[in-house]
Amino acid sequence: MTMHEIELDASSWKTAQDFRQALKTAIGAPEWHGDIVGAFLDSIFGDGMNALKPPYVIKVVNTSNLAPDVKELVHDFSSAIAGTRARRLARIGEDVAVRLEIEN
């Protein structure tokens, strides 16, 4: 399978909601998709409700001027994806090839 690469430009983000909305758009989440990290993890690793299907990597670029709380959310989300991927692989032997990378 081809690894899709999605780039999210964080240069205009002012709030955590800006990140969440950009991510929803990038993964093709349904309109009613939740905003908490758990909702994203469920839709990425769960039932495949998003238009974008693994494998993919999301690269968040232009993060140097993000507000500290937004930067922290992006880092927390990246860690949550990595942790969920690792736990799923250990638990059921399935690797859902999804990553969120943060670049300046």
Side-chain angles (χ1 to χ4, degrees), residues 54-65:
Y56 59 85
V57 58
I58 298 166
K59 294 186 178 190
V60 181
V61 299
N62 299 319
T63 61
S64 59
N65 293 323

Side-chain angles (χ1 to χ4, degrees), residues 4 16 22 27 30-32 38-39 43-44 47-48 53 57 61 69 76 78 81 89-90 94 96 103:
H4 300 281
I27 64 176
E31 192 173 306
W32 46 264
S43 73
I44 291 168
D47 64 7
K53 309 293 184 216
V57 58
V61 299
D69 64 317
D76 289 350
S78 177
I81 285 179
L89 182 59
E94 180 184 22
V96 178
E103 300 177 359

Side-chain angles (χ1 to χ4, degrees), residues 23-57:
L23 185 57
K24 284 181 190 181
T25 300
I27 64 176
E31 192 173 306
W32 46 264
H33 194 286
D35 284 342
I36 64 170
V37 173
F40 283 99
L41 295 175
D42 286 348
S43 73
I44 291 168
F45 292 97
D47 64 7
M49 72 173 82
N50 300 325
L52 182 64
K53 309 293 184 216
Y56 59 85
V57 58

